[in-house]
Amino acid sequence: FYVNGNPTRKIWVNVTLTVMKEAVVAKRPLRRYQTITQDDIALKNVDITTLTTDVILCYEDLIGKRTKRKIHAGTVLRETLIELPPLIKPGDLVTLVAESDGLRITAHGIAKKKGRKGERILVVNLDSRKSINAQVVDSNTVRVDF
């Protein structure tokens, strides 16, 4: 406390700080592995001081992704609850592509594991019957490094 510009007394004060920010919440219950649409989510002001750092603040980042587990209505969505859906499933027929400067080789293969964009999965080349690790490019193409 100050009196006439001079400090006269100090005291400790406990406060509770609330920081409100718009975050993405589930409008309704979401099933496990459900693809998220714009109708499933909404922005809501929430106290972010009580939440983890992986809270999702932008709903455009969620459209087309899917839930990892069941989510109740009103739950603030976090990165750990959401994932990209797999583009390739076990047994899918895929095109193997190997590229270098001026050379492109393609072959057909069968996926042995599910894979999301950018992940590496095991694929069996149908011509040679050899198993190859390849990176998922899209829903029917994988890239082989050579």
Side-chain angles (χ1 to χ4, degrees):
F1 291 102
Y2 287 84
V3 176
N4 296 328
N6 297 318
T8 58
R9 186 173 177 192
K10 291 182 182 181
I11 62 170
W12 287 98
V13 178
N14 291 325
V15 296
T16 302
L17 182 64
T18 302
V19 178
M20 301 299 286
K21 191 160 188 167
E22 280 192 336
V24 181
V25 296
K27 277 188 192 177
R28 55 180 159 241
L30 302 174
R31 298 180 320 275
R32 183 178 185 197
Y33 299 142
Q34 179 177 337
T35 301
I36 298 172
T37 66
Q38 193 164 354
D39 295 335
D40 297 326
I41 55 178
L43 289 174
K44 181 180 176 185
N45 271 333
V46 294
D47 179 7
I48 63 168
T49 58
T50 61
L51 302 173
T52 59
T53 58
D54 66 342
V55 172
I56 299 171
L57 303 174
C58 182
Y59 72 91
E60 288 90 3
D61 297 340
L62 292 175
I63 306 302
K65 292 185 178 179
R66 72 178 192 175
T67 59
K68 287 184 179 179
R69 65 175 183 85
K70 181 180 176 183
I71 298 173
H72 299 288
T75 300
V76 177
L77 298 180
R78 302 182 329 262
E79 292 290 337
T80 54
L81 300 175
I82 307 301
E83 67 184 1
L84 284 170
L87 296 175
I88 295 175
K89 297 183 236 38
D92 283 356
L93 183 63
V94 295
T95 301
L96 294 155
V97 177
E99 290 180 304
S100 69
D101 297 333
L103 180 65
R104 178 182 169 100
I105 300 169
T106 62
H108 293 291
I110 301 257
K112 289 296 181 185
K113 294 193 173 192
K114 69 179 178 180
R116 295 169 184 79
K117 185 173 184 169
E119 285 185 340
R120 298 191 74 73
I121 62 169
L122 191 63
V123 179
V124 175
N125 183 326
L126 291 178
D127 293 331
S128 67
R129 297 288 181 208
K130 290 187 178 183
S131 295
I132 304 167
N133 278 313
Q135 183 179 25
V136 176
V137 175
D138 59 34
S139 61
N140 57 7
T141 309
V142 294
R143 178 173 290 120
V144 178
D145 298 326
F146 78 102

